[in-house]
Amino acid sequence: MDQKPARVRIVDAAHDLMLSIGLARTTTKAIAQAAGCSEAALYKYFANKEELFVTVLHERLPKLGSLLSRLTEGVANPDRTVEENLTDIAREAALFYEETFPMAASLYAEPQLKRRHEDILRGLGSGPHKPIQGLDAYLRAEQAAGRVAPDADTYAAASLLLGACAQRAFAYDMSPDRKPPQSLDAFATGLARTLLGGIAP
């Protein structure tokens, strides 16, 4: 069986290490070793660990960004309701934060590394604010189409939905049995329906 290309092995190794030991403790040396290549080979594909982290978010985790882009660009099925779209977003967001929380949480123990990481993400045009902006843009498009109330605060609605998804990952990662009281589908459906009750026309 052919070995995977070096770039694929590097991203796979980064994903595994970031999930198991956290972003702060994952080094490019450890990633290269796990990928079976040299650090020099890693730097042929990625400028730094932060760029690798963004690549892992885009290529190995639930596709929250692409879902929001499809909705905002109007590529989503026009027959689908706002509630169905919000349910899909809530489901993807909950999965996304469930996987990214263990990776990024370790940064909060090292403020200098966290600041450096944030600076690099800003330079790459990425960061945790992007999903909120994307969902806000989608809700404003629905507002313009008359499917969201004209006086609804779409930014607040986006923050509420994504904040609830992030909180689910945070709260239950630290709970004794690490299991939320609802299934992912029940959570996403209930969250979308409850949020829509406050912003529907």
Side-chain angles (χ1 to χ4, degrees), residues 5-7 43 56 59 62-63 79 90 96 106 188:
R7 184 187 181 283
Y43 285 117
V56 167
E59 297 182 12
K63 302 293 190 278
D79 295 331
F96 177 80
S106 60

Side-chain angles (χ1 to χ4, degrees), residues 162-182:
L162 294 174
C165 294
Q167 179 61 22
R168 182 179 192 265
F170 173 78
Y172 293 103
D173 187 70
M174 294 188 160
S175 68
D177 58 4
R178 299 182 70 165
K179 186 176 178 185
Q182 295 175 300

Side-chain angles (χ1 to χ4, degrees), residues 51-72:
E51 187 177 319
L52 241 174
F53 177 58
V54 171
T55 301
V56 167
L57 294 183
H58 286 206
E59 297 182 12
R60 295 294 184 275
L61 298 182
K63 302 293 190 278
L64 177 59
S66 63
L67 174 61
L68 290 170
S69 295
R70 287 197 314 274
L71 293 173
T72 303

Side-chain angles (χ1 to χ4, degrees), residues 18 36 61 77 81 118 177 180 192:
M18 289 172 185
L61 298 182
N77 184 341
T81 65
E118 289 167 349
D177 58 4

Side-chain angles (χ1 to χ4, degrees), residues 1-77:
M1 185 176 174
D2 291 341
Q3 192 178 41
K4 291 178 181 177
R7 184 187 181 283
V8 174
R9 296 198 319 272
I10 290 166
V11 176
D12 284 345
H15 177 231
D16 292 345
L17 285 167
M18 289 172 185
L19 271 179
S20 59
I21 63 173
L23 182 59
R25 292 178 58 203
T26 298
T27 63
T28 52
K29 181 178 180 180
I31 293 168
Q33 186 175 22
C37 67
S38 66
E39 265 192 284
L42 182 151
Y43 285 117
K44 286 181 185 175
Y45 299 98
F46 303 99
N48 49 48
K49 183 172 73 173
E50 287 73 20
E51 187 177 319
L52 241 174
F53 177 58
V54 171
T55 301
V56 167
L57 294 183
H58 286 206
E59 297 182 12
R60 295 294 184 275
L61 298 182
K63 302 293 190 278
L64 177 59
S66 63
L67 174 61
L68 290 170
S69 295
R70 287 197 314 274
L71 293 173
T72 303
E73 293 163 10
V75 178
N77 184 341

Side-chain angles (χ1 to χ4, degrees), residues 78-141:
D79 295 331
R80 288 172 56 82
T81 65
V82 177
E83 184 176 321
E84 287 171 325
N85 288 333
L86 289 177
T87 299
D88 284 351
I89 292 168
R91 188 181 296 109
E92 291 299 315
L95 287 170
F96 177 80
Y97 291 123
E98 187 178 304
E99 288 206 37
T100 55
F101 177 72
M103 290 183 185
S106 60
L107 286 174
Y108 288 85
E110 300 186 34
Q112 284 185 323
L113 181 60
K114 180 176 175 288
R115 278 194 297 276
R116 180 176 164 268
H117 175 75
E118 289 167 349
D119 289 344
I120 292 173
L121 286 185
R122 272 193 291 275
L124 293 169
S126 188
H129 61 291
K130 287 294 188 178
I132 298 172
Q133 290 178 343
L135 181 50
D136 179 35
Y138 162 68
L139 289 172
R140 280 187 279 111

